[in-house]
């Protein structure tokens, strides 16, 4: 991806210093009346699925259909938005229409702290489209589940598909923790998707071994 003009470099060190993430419950409270279709993504989504906090989280991410993002922005009128990608950062208004940029950080204009990361996702009406492979799709009614406390989250097989790309130590730890909790239908989806996008991925052996064991009840 070639980055658009006008961005400035942002290092991982600067980003880590400026992140002061909210929790999913805080985000859900702020978005309680928001009409957008949204759900917690990333590591927090796996914790919501598992019903327990597994580790400290450096940020909190939500996914939203790209066309719904203005509703999210309207819920935070006192904050500003930046878009990040390829180690650069831009004001949202400058690159809002760029389809290659999706990560959108909520920034406190007074402290400069980032509190929320919004993934503006490709979609076709009520169907989510995977950024890594547009042949992988799900209706939003299947993409999102909700905790008993009313917090929406992205289903674990989708979260793990995205984590498979980086496969950092924390991603692998998340995978190993959640894998035994996945019922057969979710294991089948995960195996199919990872095989399609990353056919030589080391997780495939463990997914197949887990599928051979008795499935937990979701």
């Amino acid at each position: 991806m070639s980055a658009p003009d006008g961005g400035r470099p942002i290092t991982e060190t600067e980003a880590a210093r400026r992140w002061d993430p909210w929790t999913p419950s805080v985000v859900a409270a702020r978005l309680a009346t928001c009409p957008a279709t949204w759900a917690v993504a990333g590591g927090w989504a796996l914790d919501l699925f598992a019903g327990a906090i597994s580790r400290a989280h450096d940020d909190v991410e939500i996914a939203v259909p790209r066309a719904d993002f203005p509703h999210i922005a309207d819920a935070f009128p006192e904050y500003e938005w930046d878009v990040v990608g390829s180690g650069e950062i831009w004001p949202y208004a400058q690159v809002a229409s760029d389809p290659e940029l999706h990560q959108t950080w909520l920034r406190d204009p007074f402290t400069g702290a980032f509190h929320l990361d919004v993934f503006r996702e490709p979609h076709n009406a009520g169907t989510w489209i995977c950024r890594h492979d547009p042949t992988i799709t799900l209706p939003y009614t299947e993409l999102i589940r909700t905790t008993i406390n009313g917090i929406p989250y992205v289903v674990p097989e989708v979260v793990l598909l995205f984590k498979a790309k980086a496969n950092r130590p924390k991603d692998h730890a998340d995978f190993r923790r959640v894998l035994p909790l996945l019922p057969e239908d979710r294991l089948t989806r995960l195996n199919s998707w990872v095989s399609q996008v990353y056919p030589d991925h080391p997780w495939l052996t463990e997914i197949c071994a887990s599928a051979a064991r008795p499935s937990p009840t979701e």
Side-chain angles (χ1 to χ4, degrees):
M1 181 186 80
S2 58
D5 295 334
R8 74 163 182 85
I10 182 168
T11 64
E12 291 185 9
T13 300
E14 178 189 349
R17 175 177 55 81
R18 294 177 61 181
W19 262 98
D20 181 18
W22 289 334
T23 63
S25 59
V26 170
V27 176
R30 289 295 304 253
L31 295 176
T33 61
C34 179
T37 299
W38 68 274
V40 175
W44 265 118
L46 298 180
D47 280 357
L48 294 173
F49 167 75
I53 299 175
S54 61
R55 57 176 174 84
H57 294 275
D58 297 328
D59 56 13
V60 59
E61 302 151 333
I62 67 171
V64 62
R66 195 174 185 96
D68 276 5
F69 179 75
H71 294 307
I72 299 290
D74 287 346
F76 301 97
E78 70 273 40
Y79 292 89
E80 295 178 356
W81 295 93
D82 297 318
V83 176
V84 294
S86 301
E88 294 190 65
I89 188 167
W90 300 261
Y92 169 73
Q94 184 175 323
V95 293
S97 62
D98 191 319
E100 298 297 322
L101 295 171
H102 66 277
Q103 273 195 277
T104 318
W105 290 358
L106 180 77
R107 172 173 46 83
D108 186 319
F110 299 103
T111 67
F114 299 114
H115 298 304
L116 175 64
D117 187 357
V118 179
F119 297 160
R120 294 173 291 132
E121 295 291 290
H123 63 103
N124 180 8
T127 298
W128 165 81
I129 300 171
C130 178
R131 280 184 276 107
H132 295 172
D133 185 334
T135 68
I136 296 174
T137 65
L138 274 184
Y140 274 95
T141 53
E142 294 184 36
L143 179 75
I144 297 173
R145 291 292 178 262
T146 305
T147 69
I148 58 173
N149 296 321
I151 301 175
Y153 64 90
V154 174
V155 292
E157 61 269 34
V158 170
V159 175
L160 291 173
L161 174 63
F162 279 81
K163 283 181 167 287
K165 179 179 181 180
N167 196 15
R168 300 160 296 187
K170 69 176 181 180
D171 299 320
H172 189 65
D174 287 345
F175 166 75
R176 295 293 300 274
R177 178 175 60 89
V178 172
L179 187 65
L181 305 179
L182 297 180
E184 184 177 358
D185 59 334
R186 299 198 182 282
L187 282 171
T188 299
R189 263 187 189 161
L190 181 62
N191 184 65
S192 174
W193 290 344
V194 174
S195 297
Q196 178 175 327
V197 182
Y198 310 110
D200 298 320
H201 202 286
W203 288 1
L204 289 169
T205 300
E206 294 183 63
I207 294 170
C208 290
S210 186
R213 295 194 294 266
S215 177
T217 301
E218 187 174 5

